[in-house]
Amino acid sequence: MATISTTSSSEAQQESGVVRSFLRKYREQSLIFYLLIVVAVAATIFIPSFRTGSNARNIFVQSVSLGFVSIGQTFVMISGGFDLSVGSVISLASCLTSGIIDGRLEYLVPVMLLVIIIGGSVGLLNGVLISKLHFAPFIATFASMSLVQGVTYLYTKYPPGSMPSAFSYFANGTIAFIPFPLILLVLVLAAAAYVLARRKYGRYVYSVGSNLEFSRLSGINTAKVLIITYVISSLLAVVTAFFLTSRMGIGDPNIGSDVEINSITAAFLGGTVNGRGSVLCTYAGVLTLGMIANILNMLNVSSYWQMALRGAILVAVVLRGIKTV
Amino acid sequence: MLLPTKATLKGSLRRNSILTILLVFLAGSAILFPSFYKLNNILNILCQSSYIGIVSLGQTFVVLGGGIDLSVASLMSCINVLLANLTLGKDAAVPWTIPVLLLVGAGIGLVNGFIIVKRRVPAFVVTLGVAVVLNGLRLILTNGAPFGYIPRSVRFLGSGKLGIIPVAFLVFLLVMVVSHVVLKKAIFGRHLYAVGVNEKASHSMGIRTDGVRIASYVICSVMAALSAVILSGYINTADNWSAKGMDLDSIAAVVLGGTMLEGGRGGVIYTMIGVLLIGLVTNVIVYAGLAIEIQLIAKALVFILAVALYHGLARTKA
């Protein structure tokens, strides 16, 4: 079951409503929504300080950084790979941004463009290694992760430079009381969901993930699809870097250290596998992880225990086995 | 069915090209940095190569079976910390601590192997998850600040010498010989190669592929534990991140040496050459006065080059 678009499912959509057909089409992935609701309800009942509006707002804003990256990771994982280099791209982007700008407002836009280009070229490297040189995806991104991390450490070992105060709008500004980063995330989420569901490229990503060889033989330019996918992932990593740098006011060469694991875990929680996945479900996974972290912080659980728990969640999620199409 | 590489032309071409690269590198660095070949420096490199070598040999077993183990770095740091904690520097504690630590390694290898093989989950996801869990557990145990000391006997193991030969290198040689014999002569070794080349066919032939693959992960983790003991003796301290980068190092050594990542081709000699290359690259960079970060960049670049090169050679054969 669960092929992507067939006429029978669109008839079912007209009959039983959008939500129910969404749940049916993404049956395996939407388990995450039930988990999300259970965790949220349990926390609301049992932890008084969870119930405040500012706490809820906090959770959403915190989810933005992991959210952007996980959207990119979802694209990559649907295409059949993993992107281990996102963390180091975030580190490099944040260090270059605050290091080169160093508080000067007039450098802001050119440097942001430069960093976007650099980040995109890492994605290009990944895509080329995987599609043209036939590297296994995790080997290619493992190597590029080390490469980018090395370049980052070469540039700086400590948080460098500074950001002009106007830049803090990226992370802290609001439009009609809604935090700007959240609005950006919703836009990106909607765009990603649209591309995956309705655009030709999106369908090609699913196809390449299900079976690379058949896709190639069907005439799909699999190299182009893969390269675009990894570039998207790296670009979203750069966006995340901008958000984090804006929030802290400075870059940090270690800022991306746990990001790969968390984004892969969130995507797995959302039921992403080769050839199947949904950015909405992944974001539900992001929110779940964010809520769990929030709850554990309130219960004063040390960050070391949280680290061990996150690894355990990853192992637990894949323990049920990864069913590919 | 594919034969082990020794019998094919392309295989010997590949093995010879690695040897050539190694010799060129040796010659080059001798010309550029003559003082590099001082005895002290060579002995240092031999010591370092020993613990990197042992964990790389373990990684070789896993890669030959078609898998990969990213948890070795985290496991090694755990063993390092546990060694200091459990012995508290006393030599008397060593005879029971070392076997316990090796058993811990075996246990982690079992966990890895079981989940990967029985649940058919991609190897790197599981070992990555296990690595994170181990990191967290280690930080919980030490609360950020490791305590204890490394006993004198372990220090001798890690940095001591018998005559002029480092003890660590002797241990490495021993492990190397045993691994080579197991891989080439023992039935398990031949089964491992077969499983790496084609798991389904091996299964149909009656080979217990699950057992073979799980065993490869156990061997890898035990070797990582042993390597961590030697590392502890070499650095003479307990550190939460003492083995940082060992995952890249061991996989790079295996890949550089010519063992193919899809499995089924390669072996101890290959990996040994890879280990020597990695050790040389690392040390020449330090010796040339370049920043330490260049090591990471150089290793990554060499890794990418090696995989691209060997994959290209392998694909033209098919």
Side-chain angles (χ1 to χ4, degrees):
Chain A
M1 215 198 145
T3 48
I4 298 305
S5 324
T6 63
T7 43
S8 57
S9 84
S10 54
E11 284 166 1
Q13 186 164 359
Q14 280 152 359
E15 283 178 25
S16 51
V18 177
V19 172
R20 212 170 295 161
S21 68
F22 174 82
L23 287 176
R24 185 178 305 132
K25 209 159 47 155
Y26 291 98
R27 187 168 48 185
E28 185 155 300
Q29 286 93 318
S30 43
L31 289 173
I32 183 63
F33 288 110
Y34 303 136
L35 180 65
L36 182 68
I37 294 174
V38 164
V39 172
V41 167
T44 316
I45 295 178
F46 291 112
I47 305 178
S49 38
F50 191 82
R51 291 186 214 128
T52 64
S54 67
N55 191 44
R57 188 174 174 281
N58 254 352
I59 295 179
F60 277 104
V61 172
Q62 297 280 46
S63 75
V64 165
S65 60
L66 189 59
F68 283 124
V69 175
S70 303
I71 292 174
Q73 189 74 253
T74 308
F75 273 77
V76 167
M77 284 171 68
I78 294 177
S79 81
F82 297 90
D83 193 345
L84 292 177
S85 63
V86 280
S88 50
V89 169
I90 294 177
S91 301
L92 180 67
S94 87
C95 285
L96 283 179
T97 309
S98 77
I100 300 179
I101 290 182
D102 207 3
R104 292 171 286 222
L105 189 58
E106 58 284 6
Y107 281 30
L108 183 65
V109 173
V111 172
M112 279 176 77
L113 283 173
L114 174 70
V115 167
I116 288 175
I117 293 176
I118 294 179
S121 47
V122 174
L124 183 65
L125 173 70
N126 283 331
V128 167
L129 287 178
I130 292 169
S131 61
K132 299 283 187 191
L133 293 179
H134 303 277
F135 275 55
F138 81 91
I139 293 283
T141 54
F142 185 62
S144 61
M145 166 182 85
S146 306
L147 185 64
V148 172
Q149 193 64 57
V151 171
T152 308
Y153 283 140
L154 194 63
Y155 180 68
T156 177
K157 281 217 264 284
Y158 305 101
S162 65
M163 293 301 289
S165 48
F167 190 62
S168 83
Y169 180 78
F170 201 98
N172 302 320
T174 59
I175 299 180
F177 296 117
I178 305 177
F180 170 72
L182 207 54
I183 296 179
L184 195 60
L185 177 71
V186 168
L187 286 174
V188 171
L189 204 54
Y194 170 70
V195 164
L196 281 176
R198 294 256 182 261
R199 303 291 296 184
K200 200 169 59 166
Y201 160 74
R203 284 206 296 274
Y204 285 172
V205 175
Y206 282 103
S207 169
V208 165
S210 311
N211 197 318
L212 183 66
E213 206 47 41
F214 285 5
S215 306
R216 200 179 57 83
L217 292 170
S218 313
I220 298 177
N221 188 342
T222 54
K224 194 159 79 162
V225 170
L226 283 173
I227 292 178
I228 295 178
T229 306
Y230 283 91
V231 170
I232 288 179
S233 177
S234 294
L235 287 179
L236 283 170
V238 172
V239 172
T240 305
F242 287 152
F243 168 71
L244 288 171
T245 313
S246 164
R247 195 167 66 175
M248 294 199 319
I250 195 172
D252 185 349
N254 289 314
I255 202 170
S257 47
D258 276 328
V259 171
E260 309 85 39
I261 313 266
N262 290 336
S263 61
I264 293 178
T265 308
F268 271 137
L269 275 175
T272 314
V273 293
N274 295 6
R276 277 219 297 250
S278 143
V279 284
L280 290 170
C281 298
T282 300
Y283 184 61
V286 172
L287 279 177
T288 310
L289 286 177
M291 273 200 303
I292 293 178
N294 185 280
I295 295 169
L296 291 177
N297 279 335
M298 284 191 174
L299 297 176
N300 269 325
V301 174
S302 86
S303 57
Y304 300 147
W305 278 103
Q306 293 194 32
M307 182 189 287
L309 185 66
R310 277 201 296 269
I313 291 179
L314 177 60
V315 176
V317 168
V318 298
L319 208 58
R320 32 194 280 274
I322 297 184
K323 292 176 228 143
T324 55
V325 175
Chain B
M1 191 170 141
L2 289 165
L3 298 165
T5 15
K6 249 200 299 215
T8 63
L9 177 63
K10 272 277 154 51
S12 5
L13 208 70
R14 186 170 64 228
R15 202 153 47 137
N16 287 333
S17 54
I18 311 163
L19 271 170
T20 322
I21 296 176
L22 179 65
L23 287 170
V24 166
F25 202 85
L26 277 170
S29 45
I31 298 172
L32 286 172
F33 311 108
S35 51
F36 186 69
Y37 288 96
K38 268 206 284 265
L39 190 64
N40 241 353
N41 204 26
I42 303 273
L43 290 177
N44 221 15
I45 300 180
L46 281 180
C47 268
Q48 279 178 0
S49 303
S50 304
Y51 65 81
I52 299 179
I54 295 179
V55 62
S56 302
L57 284 176
Q59 189 80 248
T60 311
F61 277 83
V62 168
V63 170
L64 281 176
I68 202 161
D69 192 339
L70 288 177
S71 62
V72 283
S74 190
L75 175 62
M76 283 175 70
S77 300
C78 283
I79 300 287
N80 171 232
V81 162
L82 280 174
L83 180 63
N85 282 10
L86 291 177
T87 61
L88 289 173
K90 303 196 192 60
D91 280 321
V94 169
W96 62 264
T97 312
I98 306 261
V100 164
L101 291 176
L102 292 179
L103 272 174
V104 168
I108 300 290
L110 261 178
V111 169
N112 280 335
F114 254 94
I115 302 179
I116 293 170
V117 171
K118 293 295 185 188
R119 285 298 184 176
R120 316 236 143 238
V121 183
F124 100 94
V125 175
V126 174
T127 53
L128 202 63
V130 168
V132 173
V133 173
L134 285 176
N135 280 337
L137 290 177
R138 181 174 71 246
L139 288 168
I140 293 170
L141 176 73
T142 63
N143 209 13
F147 63 93
Y149 303 94
I150 309 290
R152 284 253 312 269
S153 43
V154 175
R155 253 184 286 152
F156 177 69
L157 201 64
S159 42
K161 301 201 217 323
L162 283 176
I164 55 162
I165 306 180
V167 177
F169 190 67
L170 290 173
V171 176
F172 177 38
L173 276 177
L174 182 66
V175 173
M176 217 169 36
V177 167
V178 171
S179 304
H180 187 75
V181 166
V182 167
L183 278 176
K184 295 295 182 182
K185 304 288 182 208
I187 294 184
F188 166 71
R190 288 209 295 266
H191 283 185
L192 187 63
Y193 275 100
V195 168
V197 169
N198 191 328
E199 201 207 326
K200 283 212 176 68
S202 312
H203 190 72
S204 321
M205 271 172 47
I207 298 178
R208 295 173 56 188
T209 55
D210 283 359
V212 166
R213 287 172 67 203
I214 295 180
S216 70
Y217 284 98
V218 173
I219 291 175
C220 179
S221 295
V222 170
M223 286 208 195
L226 178 62
S227 160
V229 170
I230 296 188
L231 170 65
S232 307
Y234 184 70
I235 62 176
N236 194 24
T237 183
D239 185 273
N240 268 318
W241 305 103
S242 44
K244 185 169 177 175
M246 274 301 135
D247 41 5
L248 174 64
D249 281 1
S250 59
I251 296 176
V254 168
V255 165
L256 270 179
T259 303
M260 299 302 290
L261 281 166
E262 312 91 54
R265 283 178 279 181
V268 170
I269 317 263
Y270 293 78
T271 300
M272 208 197 68
I273 299 176
V275 168
L276 279 175
L277 266 173
I278 291 275
L280 279 171
V281 166
T282 313
N283 273 279
V284 165
I285 288 178
V286 170
Y287 220 78
L290 296 170
I292 284 204
E293 297 76 32
I294 304 244
Q295 281 181 23
L296 191 53
I297 300 178
K299 273 186 242 181
L301 281 173
V302 167
F303 182 77
I304 293 178
L305 270 166
V307 175
L309 202 68
Y310 297 156
H311 252 282
L313 275 174
R315 271 167 38 82
T316 49
K317 183 202 295 213

